[in-house]
Amino acid sequence: MVSFKCKDIGMDCDFKATADNVQELDEQIARHAREVHKIDPLDKEMWMKIHKAEK
Ligand SMILES: [Zn+2]
């Protein structure tokens, strides 16, 4: 299991996601970024931050 919190990348947001693997987690994060933060697509720098924060 892997999980991610928006707070871990410094966002003022209570979003938490959990998935079986990183691919699924990335999909959830991409959807959340698009729907809530209006960020689409996430750039390379953001993904680097996100991947560091995933555990
Ligand atoms: Zn968020």
Side-chain angles (χ1 to χ4, degrees), residues 16-46:
K16 282 182 211 148
T18 314
D20 288 331
N21 56 60
V22 171
Q23 282 96 321
E24 263 179 50
L25 189 60
D26 283 354
E27 277 170 37
Q28 289 186 38
I29 293 165
R31 195 182 321 129
H32 169 76
R34 188 168 62 234
E35 289 172 358
V36 176
H37 298 288
K38 312 292 179 207
I39 305 170
D40 185 34
L42 286 157
D43 62 25
K44 224 189 253 173
E45 230 169 275
M46 283 296 276

Side-chain angles (χ1 to χ4, degrees), residues 4 10-11 43:
F4 170 81
M11 302 292 257
D43 62 25

